[in-house]
Amino acid sequence: MTAADATTVELFQQDWKLYRKMVDNNFLFHREAYAALHEVLINDAARPFRFLDIACGDASASVGALRGTDIAHYHGIDFSGAALELAGKALTELNCTVKFEQRDFLEALAGVVEQVDVAWIGLSLHHLQGMEKLAFMRTIRNVLAPGGLFLIYENTSPDGEDRENWLRRWDLQKPFWTAYSEDEWNAMAAHVHAADFPETDATWHTLGREAGFASVREVFAAPTDLFRLYGFSK
Ligand SMILES: C[S@@+](CC[C@H](N)C(=O)[O-])C[C@H]1O[C@@H](n2cnc3c(N)ncnc32)[C@H](O)[C@@H]1O
């Protein structure tokens, strides 16, 4: 089983710099989202905690969120070798044990997975569609220790908005992405139009409850309201 369509594989395995430019320019509000993650880790996570970073990419934003927390173990999963090479360097500054898996995250999580206290997925769960998201969230719940937390920063629609209108709003970002050339914008837009499946706020809450989580809460919404951060407690 795999969660990746062709545009996802191409974009993240062959052209990591294009994604990096998006992060460096804060086009998707990584700074604010990962600052919010840091606050949750400080205030609500077990002490010490084991952290699972699903689709970790180069882990640079995660390391920023984990700095100064009581992390004991970091486990990153991503299928991009280029990204994992950078992640390995970024993780050296944290005082914890580290494990990486270069694999499709659905395959990795279908196997034997060590229990963790916090599971995090940043901007990658939206590649799955409806029922696949639910099955995935049930799998994550089983990987969490009692009292564990699942946190996501993902494509979200206000209630009542469909995918077509979410994509229309996504396209409205173009004038603000001044660091991107026309070709770079087109490559990213093609990927998002092919592979991104947002959920409404109400659906995220329903998915959380149906996956068996005791509570769901919204932690942060991007100023564009294209992305929101949710916390699901076991
Ligand atoms: C949008 S980036 C997100 C990176 C990071 N989590 C962040 O918040 O910036 C998506 C990452 O997910 C990885 N990815 C996408 N689908 C994947 C899959 N099915 N299995 C493993 N990694 C995947 C890509 O290689 C890429 O590093």
Side-chain angles (χ1 to χ4, degrees):
M1 197 174 178
T2 172
D5 81 317
T7 67
T8 307
V9 174
E10 188 177 322
L11 190 66
F12 294 111
Q13 300 225 14
Q14 291 164 20
D15 203 356
W16 184 253
K17 285 198 197 99
L18 190 58
Y19 182 68
R20 199 56 249 169
K21 208 178 207 184
M22 192 154 86
V23 177
D24 290 342
N25 286 280
N26 207 33
F27 289 154
L28 305 187
F29 300 95
H30 272 76
R31 273 204 288 279
E32 294 80 356
Y34 278 83
L37 171 63
H38 175 77
E39 287 305 308
V40 174
L41 295 175
I42 292 287
N43 296 321
D44 302 330
R47 294 204 174 168
F49 64 89
R50 296 157 292 180
F51 187 82
L52 176 61
D53 196 353
I54 305 157
C56 59
D58 65 15
S60 59
S62 293
V63 167
L66 290 164
R67 204 174 282 136
T69 67
D70 202 0
I71 183 167
H73 181 66
Y74 174 95
H75 179 181
I77 306 172
D78 203 288
F79 59 28
S80 165
L84 287 182
E85 208 178 308
L86 296 168
K89 289 181 189 138
L91 259 296
T92 56
E93 75 161 270
L94 296 183
N95 186 21
C96 65
T97 54
V98 175
K99 173 181 168 181
F100 288 111
E101 277 184 277
Q102 186 177 355
R103 283 179 83 179
D104 187 287
F105 63 71
L106 285 184
E107 281 173 11
L109 293 167
V112 179
V113 185
E114 295 144 18
Q115 269 205 338
V116 292
D117 303 291
V118 181
W120 162 252
I121 186 160
L123 297 169
S124 300
L125 183 52
H126 56 258
H127 295 147
L128 305 184
Q129 299 191 35
M131 293 308 287
E132 294 172 327
K133 286 191 182 90
L134 178 59
F136 178 78
M137 288 168 72
R138 286 190 172 131
T139 302
I140 294 295
R141 190 181 169 281
N142 289 333
V143 170
L144 287 176
L149 289 172
F150 176 44
L151 295 146
I152 66 170
Y153 182 51
E154 286 298 338
N155 301 5
T156 303
S157 277
D159 290 344
E161 183 180 67
D162 60 12
R163 178 173 185 258
E164 198 180 323
N165 279 301
W166 183 88
L167 286 170
R168 200 164 288 146
R169 287 197 301 117
W170 194 91
D171 289 341
L172 293 176
Q173 299 173 105
K174 187 176 180 187
F176 305 100
W177 288 32
T178 49
Y180 264 25
S181 69
E182 186 75 13
D183 284 352
E184 288 173 332
W185 167 267
N186 288 339
M188 192 54 77
H191 162 68
V192 169
H193 279 253
D196 281 25
F197 297 90
E199 301 296 345
T200 63
D201 176 59
T203 302
W204 283 123
H205 281 82
T206 304
L207 285 168
R209 279 193 300 272
E210 289 188 1
F213 287 98
S215 69
V216 184
R217 74 181 171 109
E218 183 185 311
V219 177
F220 167 74
T224 52
D225 207 16
L226 289 165
F227 316 99
R228 296 190 196 184
L229 199 159
Y230 292 93
F232 305 87
S233 304
K234 183 163 176 178

